[in-house]
Amino acid sequence: MSSHREAPEISKDPVADSTDVYAFVSPDAPTTVTLIANYVPLQAPDGGPNFYEFGDDVLYHINIDNNGDGVAEIIYELRFNTVVGNPNTFLYNTGPIQSLADKNWNRRQFYSLNRQEKSGNQRRTTVLGTNLACPPCNIGPLSTPNYPDLANQAVHGLPGGEKVFAGQRAEGFYVDLGAIFDLGDLRPLEQLHNQFGLNVPELAKPAPGVNSTKGANVYSIALQVPITQLTSNGSSPTNAGDPSSVIGVWTTASRQKVSMVAQNNGQSTNAGPFVQVSRLGNPLVNEVIIPMGKKDYWNNQPPANDSQFVQYFQHPELSTLLPTLYPNAFPNLAAFNATGSPRGDIVAIFNTGIPSGVVSGFQNSGGSKQADLLRLNMAIPPTTSNLSNLGVVGNDPAGFPNGRRVFDDVVTIELRALAGATLPLVNKSFTADAAVSQVTDGLTTSPTDVSAMGTENYLPTFPYLGVPYSGFAVPAS
Amino acid sequence: MEKHSRRAFLRNTSMAVGVAGAVAAVPGLPAVLESGGPQAAESAAAELPKGAELSEPLVAHVRDLTTGEIDLYAGERQVTYRDPHMAARLFKATR
């Protein structure tokens, strides 16, 4: 998935597992940017009695690079604290939870938020909020009646004009995991798959995609920040050609080096400095670009060190596999692969941003530094009509890989890019195979479909990801 | 195949030991740390700042027995300490 359970170590540590990052100019508040970092993947909404929460022992960051050096000039840092009202009941709540202060709610979570700004070798920290309340999980009509209003109480306005929300949301990312991880099957094209000679009858004709995240929840940290607080010079950029209009965004989660489980109560205590155990900028990078033996290491590394991974972007494994898995569908890609030439388009999309002159009227490169960052050109206004879930590839410059909106079909965009759709941008002699335009995992009906199957509940306003599915309504399958 | 000597084992093996707050979990360790007897214990106590007490775990990770490198973890801090004798004593305490 985008980055759900993408590496061996982090797959065992859900509360620190970053799953998706979104960054976009807010469509309803275009002087601001919305940043969303998701954690705790694949939540079955009925997962009680110990419902999901953030890790009190995890340090969560949303990082902003605003000068193209791959280093965070701004960090939003969150630390969580769980408070149990009554330890003598097994219940998450002892009656309906009607407000964030409701005494029926037995296990609450609060957080602090600070902003760190780099100044030379120093970091200046500003506390933006303390004891900010998370909402409860969406349990059901008896426990969490009128959940949307309850969750809205957890949208906190901050003195600097920011908004923050940290809590459960409906998963917004969509993907057909079941097919893709079955040896690269794309259901809409599966009749073309070589099937390893098995000739599986049910794969003999095209089929619609199946959304693996339908009905699942996730935990979101969402921030809405005035653009002037994100640029290096405090301005609001209007020239999309200016590199200073671009920010690079990524999230990290860190744990203390030492953890010990106490013999007398089964609880763990921690010691030592925090070490990064998870990071995420662009979707699917660690998932499908980085090889198995490097995934944990990649999660530990800062983006500024990403040049060490460049060969995996220059020669992506999936691009090599596609002509084999789908014989005769990608002859041009196969021929290009045979030359051994590097994929400059893939390096640009993920590692440097797209420089000026590659896509007419568009750039999102803050510099040439190789770093996996979700790069957003903040001078490009949000698209309000003729939106395309294919973003820049679909002639909608406000979408991925110019940042990422909640509805962007990043799986299809990246699959098509890896299949060669974007290679002509940097290699004029290359012609993308006809099959490229058919590549999809089949979860949207068209590029204008911005409510993919199972994710119909996106919100038009902050925090944009939908009201989480209730445990009562959506039991685990 | 390379022959494994005890020296090579010591060189290549690191060891983590929780001390102080978790000291009772390592049988024999208190005795080793106090191997100088009651007088040594009193002397060690005298080295502590007045009112010193453990309010958080203090963890020692013996990183290298030959150099005596010991990483100490307390709160959100890490301090690397070198004491081959201490490293050897901690190692013996775990045997």
Side-chain angles (χ1 to χ4, degrees), chain B residues 1-64:
Chain B
M1 188 176 173
E2 187 186 351
K3 189 174 180 181
H4 290 282
S5 67
R6 181 171 183 274
R7 183 172 176 77
F9 173 79
L10 294 181
R11 193 166 50 240
N12 296 330
T13 306
S14 66
M15 176 178 67
V17 180
V19 296
V23 73
V26 183
L29 188 56
V32 170
L33 294 176
E34 297 176 9
S35 58
Q39 283 183 332
E42 282 175 21
S43 169
E47 294 175 21
L48 290 169
K50 191 175 180 183
E53 60 178 29
L54 280 171
S55 57
E56 57 192 9
L58 170 59
V59 181
H61 173 211
V62 179
R63 195 139 52 96
D64 189 325

Side-chain angles (χ1 to χ4, degrees), chain A residues 313-326:
Chain A
F313 298 86
Q314 290 174 327
H315 306 284
E317 184 179 7
L318 192 53
S319 297
T320 307
L321 289 173
L322 281 171
T324 304
L325 294 175
Y326 296 87

Side-chain angles (χ1 to χ4, degrees), chain A residues 304-390:
Chain A
N305 289 357
D306 276 351
S307 61
Q308 65 185 308
F309 302 110
V310 71
Q311 69 269 30
Y312 305 118
F313 298 86
Q314 290 174 327
H315 306 284
E317 184 179 7
L318 192 53
S319 297
T320 307
L321 289 173
L322 281 171
T324 304
L325 294 175
Y326 296 87
N328 306 316
F330 302 102
N332 296 350
L333 179 63
F336 179 85
N337 289 343
T339 68
S341 299
R343 290 290 301 270
D345 58 323
I346 300 299
V347 173
I349 290 169
F350 293 111
N351 270 1
T352 62
I354 299 171
S356 293
V358 175
V359 175
S360 179
F362 175 79
Q363 66 89 23
N364 70 340
S365 178
S368 59
K369 179 75 177 177
Q370 289 180 358
D372 173 41
L373 312 176
L374 184 61
R375 290 174 172 84
L376 173 67
N377 187 327
M378 299 183 294
I380 295 175
T383 304
T384 53
S385 60
N386 300 319
L387 289 83
S388 171
N389 59 38
L390 298 180

Side-chain angles (χ1 to χ4, degrees), chain A residues 5 10 119 139 162 173 190 247 267 273 315 355 413 418 456:
Chain A
R5 298 174 48 79
I10 202 63
S119 175
I139 299 168
E162 309 94 332
F173 173 63
E190 61 191 2
I247 56 170
Q267 296 182 338
H315 306 284
I413 295 168
L418 290 166
E456 296 86 350

